[in-house]
Amino acid sequence: MQPNNDTWISEFFLLGLSEEPELQPLIFGLFLSMYLITVFGNLLIILAVSSDSHLHTPMYFFLTNLSFVDICVTSTTIPNIVINIQTQSKVITYAGCITQMYFFIIFSGMDIYLLSVMAYDRFVAICHPLQYMVIMNPQLCGLLLLVSCIANILHSLLQISIMLQLSFCKEVEISHFFCELNHMIQLACSDTFLNNMVMYSAALLMGGGPFAGILYSYSKIVSSILGISSAQGKYKAFSICASHLSVVSLFFCSGLGVYLSSAAPQSSHTSAVASVMYTVVTPMLNPFIYSLRNRDIKRALKRFFGVPVM
């Protein structure tokens, strides 16, 4: 896997969120704690759902896969920056950078897709409750997950294959805490027209498409909720939708904003902070917003740890 470089580049330098030495212990502690919370919280979701047969439903099937993908997203970026701060090294090899981009594109794309599928699942459950188990059958759920995997693997292979054609003619410093696609394209010294076209087209298709699906699903959900006569029922349904939409908004606004704003002059520090929101904060919030407030998940966790269920 050798790039088409005029001068062979064997390594890059990740500058991180800040180069101030006194801030490194704080950044180290924040990243490490957020990573541990993300992994532990999402693993609890997976264990709770897997151990309770009552939770073997389409909604929890997608939730466990979202939890797994969230662990993978953070694991492609956070351990590297934590190790770099601990060893006081900013170096990442070319092969390591390409590998990080490859897996990050796959898992972040699956994150977006699963968020849209979960919105569709809620749309069917609320708007077509009597047909829910017929529509959201195991075959369809498995097919949706398989399509997500294949589509994002092919997308990642496409982005990486054209990235390998770029030339980096000098030692490159990356003003970020991981190798993000648009940052790498901006640092290249060869023509990046094709890379930019593919990146923006993919952002529109792979990000804009699912986001439009989420908006459509929730517009139908809101219409159905407005028809509920009980005020308490409306409040509960709206609060659940608001929580999900807040995470979706955080993820899409920060994630797509990083890529789409690269066409305009922008601070690299601002872009890096935005990336933290959708690569670290959103996966960390997943257990709290989607599951730990859920009575079924709480009961499943109590059974798993042997705590009496009231």
Side-chain angles (χ1 to χ4, degrees):
M1 186 170 60
Q2 215 174 24
N4 182 28
N5 284 6
D6 298 333
T7 303
W8 168 251
I9 298 295
S10 61
E11 59 188 24
F12 298 105
F13 297 91
L14 291 170
L15 301 182
L17 295 178
S18 174
E19 296 185 68
E20 298 294 332
E22 60 271 16
L23 292 179
Q24 298 309 304
L26 175 62
I27 295 173
F28 174 83
L30 285 175
F31 272 95
L32 181 60
S33 60
M34 287 191 293
Y35 179 67
L36 293 177
I37 292 171
T38 300
V39 173
F40 182 69
N42 284 288
L43 277 178
L44 281 180
I45 296 174
I46 295 172
L47 291 173
V49 174
S50 301
S51 63
D52 193 332
S53 59
H54 295 94
L55 300 183
H56 294 175
T57 63
M59 180 180 73
Y60 292 109
F61 170 76
F62 293 121
L63 183 58
T64 54
N65 280 282
L66 180 67
S67 295
F68 174 74
V69 170
D70 280 340
I71 292 174
C72 293
V73 168
T74 54
S75 296
T76 59
T77 57
I78 307 305
N80 183 72
I81 187 62
V82 168
I83 293 172
N84 283 358
I85 294 174
Q86 183 66 23
T87 59
Q88 298 183 348
S89 170
K90 299 179 182 295
V91 174
I92 183 171
T93 64
Y94 181 87
C97 193
I98 293 296
T99 302
Q100 188 179 67
M101 280 193 294
Y102 173 75
F103 285 107
F104 180 79
I105 293 171
I106 291 175
F107 293 125
S108 60
M110 289 187 66
D111 225 340
I112 297 171
Y113 187 87
L114 285 171
L115 286 173
S116 65
V117 170
M118 290 175 70
Y120 175 72
D121 174 80
R122 295 187 182 193
F123 158 71
V124 176
I126 294 175
C127 300
H128 305 283
L130 299 180
Q131 298 175 297
Y132 177 71
M133 294 308 298
V134 176
I135 296 174
M136 301 302 295
N137 58 73
Q139 291 77 19
L140 178 63
C141 294
L143 179 62
L144 290 172
L145 183 63
L146 180 62
V147 169
S148 172
C149 292
I150 295 175
N152 284 287
I153 288 173
L154 293 176
H155 170 226
S156 185
L157 286 172
L158 173 63
Q159 296 284 7
I160 296 302
S161 65
I162 60 176
M163 169 63 66
L164 291 173
Q165 305 305 312
L166 295 180
S167 299
F168 300 92
C169 306
K170 57 182 179 179
E171 291 188 356
V172 178
E173 292 184 344
I174 304 172
S175 301
H176 213 299
F177 63 94
F178 72 101
C179 296
E180 195 171 37
L181 180 64
N182 66 318
H183 275 73
M184 298 301 296
I185 292 175
Q186 291 173 4
L187 292 172
C189 61
S190 57
D191 182 32
T192 61
F193 176 78
L194 177 60
N195 299 78
N196 283 315
M197 287 295 294
V198 172
M199 182 179 68
Y200 294 135
S201 298
L204 182 62
L205 179 63
M206 305 293 287
F211 184 63
I214 290 172
L215 291 181
Y216 176 80
S217 295
Y218 272 96
S219 68
K220 294 297 184 180
I221 289 173
V222 170
S223 298
S224 296
I225 291 174
L226 291 175
I228 299 175
S229 57
S230 169
Q232 185 178 3
K234 286 183 179 180
Y235 176 78
K236 182 178 180 181
F238 270 120
S239 65
I240 293 173
C241 293
S243 298
H244 182 257
L245 283 176
S246 64
V247 174
V248 169
S249 300
L250 176 65
F251 184 92
F252 276 83
C253 290
S254 57
L256 291 180
V258 167
Y259 288 93
L260 299 179
S261 61
S262 62
Q266 181 182 355
S267 167
S268 296
H269 180 265
T270 302
S271 179
V273 172
S275 296
V276 172
M277 298 303 292
Y278 80 96
T279 60
V280 185
V281 176
T282 301
M284 182 181 68
L285 293 177
N286 173 41
F288 300 98
I289 294 179
Y290 289 112
S291 301
L292 296 185
R293 295 174 59 189
N294 184 301
R295 292 180 181 179
D296 294 332
I297 291 290
K298 287 182 178 179
R299 281 195 288 265
L301 285 172
K302 287 181 179 179
R303 293 192 190 99
F304 181 79
F305 289 109
V307 178
V309 178
M310 299 299 292

